[in-house]
Amino acid sequence: DGGITQSPKYLFRKEGQNVTLSCEQNLNHDAMYWYRQDPGQGLRLIYYSQIVNDFQKGDIAEGYSVSREKKESFPLTVTSAQKNPTAFYLCASSNPYRGRGGYTFGSGTRLTVV
Amino acid sequence: DQQVKQNSPSLSVQEGRISILNCDYTNSMFDYFLWYKKYPAEGPTFLISISSIKDKNEDGRFTVFLNKSAKHLSLHIVPSQPGDSAVYFCAARGNAGGTSYGKLTFGQGTILTVHP
């Protein structure tokens, strides 16, 4: 079955360390997205990519970096520059130009800074 | 600037009654609207959607209404069930071209609790 996989489900990081969250999809979707969810703040867009080797900053990109070397993969690195990294991170994919373009979400990664 | 707003952080409803979740938007260029449902520690799942050229879409117990003049949409769940208890996000899609096409803007979410 096609889907989108995020790993790990739970991640703990020491302050000052970089950490990379994995996101892989086998839906043949062109676009991929990273969102962050905090209590009471909904889903906020970190980065998105419409095609391989290209990506754009979202609303809260500071302290994060991404790469899109393969269509299937869109890893997110949370750097030590991110001041409040503890959050629930969601990856999504879509085909903006085909069908209704709705997102398919992964199951999320809970990142906690200790 | 919050382009999509869900002004009610939470809603509590009795089982069997109607749940109405509301969403307002400011950008008249949005061409497609969606509702997602999210359980704790899981990713959101698609629930129902509506194109900007329509004013109503129904799918079983779920109906979405769109009032373009008021820039308002609502999700009706009838009858509500305890399993409907979750966070509901409305989302809007911009129709601008280029690298922004297809990007969804989400509201803050509304926590729905359906009591048995």
Side-chain angles (χ1 to χ4, degrees):
Chain A
D1 284 343
I4 182 166
T5 302
Q6 288 186 243
S7 62
K9 193 162 181 67
Y10 299 96
L11 191 56
F12 295 88
R13 189 196 89 174
K14 292 183 179 179
E15 283 199 33
Q17 286 181 337
N18 292 355
V19 65
T20 297
L21 283 60
S22 170
C23 179
E24 303 275 335
Q25 54 99 359
N26 60 1
L27 299 164
N28 199 30
H29 283 173
D30 294 315
M32 296 187 75
Y33 312 84
W34 275 105
Y35 285 86
R36 168 179 171 146
Q37 185 189 13
D38 296 283
Q41 299 216 43
L43 303 178
R44 294 186 292 166
L45 182 64
I46 304 172
Y47 268 99
Y48 63 104
S49 166
Q50 301 278 28
I51 56 173
V52 175
N53 292 323
D54 189 44
F55 47 83
Q56 283 73 44
K57 292 182 179 180
D59 302 316
I60 55 165
E62 186 176 348
Y64 299 97
S65 66
V66 293
S67 63
R68 187 89 187 274
E69 297 176 2
K70 299 186 301 181
K71 186 175 183 178
E72 301 79 18
S73 178
F74 192 40
L76 173 74
T77 296
V78 184
T79 76
S80 56
Q82 168 51 233
K83 292 183 171 37
N84 296 298
T86 294
F88 188 60
Y89 291 86
L90 286 161
C91 179
S93 67
S94 75
N95 262 336
Y97 293 96
R98 277 181 268 166
R100 295 176 177 176
Y103 289 4
T104 300
F105 281 91
S107 56
T109 293
R110 168 77 60 185
L111 173 64
T112 304
V113 173
V114 295
Chain B
D1 176 33
Q2 190 94 34
Q3 295 189 66
V4 178
K5 290 185 182 179
Q6 294 176 255
N7 291 316
S8 298
S10 62
L11 175 67
S12 184
V13 170
Q14 204 68 30
E15 181 180 6
R17 306 295 288 268
I18 185 171
S19 296
I20 300 176
L21 295 97
N22 294 303
C23 180
D24 297 296
Y25 62 96
T26 57
N27 188 344
S28 58
M29 299 300 288
F30 288 141
D31 69 345
Y32 202 71
F33 302 89
L34 307 92
W35 284 94
Y36 283 83
K37 176 180 178 179
K38 183 184 180 303
Y39 292 116
E42 294 183 11
T45 55
F46 170 75
L47 194 56
I48 193 169
S49 62
I50 187 168
S51 165
S52 61
I53 62 173
K54 297 191 173 183
D55 55 18
K56 178 182 175 181
N57 187 29
E58 244 178 301
D59 183 3
R61 296 186 297 115
F62 303 92
T63 303
V64 56
F65 295 93
L66 176 63
N67 182 334
K68 282 182 65 178
S69 60
K71 294 191 177 68
H72 177 83
L73 66 154
S74 61
L75 173 69
H76 293 209
I77 306 174
V78 184
S80 301
Q81 300 173 353
D84 296 330
S85 297
V87 180
Y88 289 79
F89 291 99
C90 70
R93 185 182 75 179
N95 65 358
T99 56
S100 293
Y101 187 78
K103 186 163 66 80
L104 298 181
T105 301
F106 287 85
Q108 306 95 312
T110 297
I111 302 170
L112 174 66
T113 304
V114 180
H115 298 283

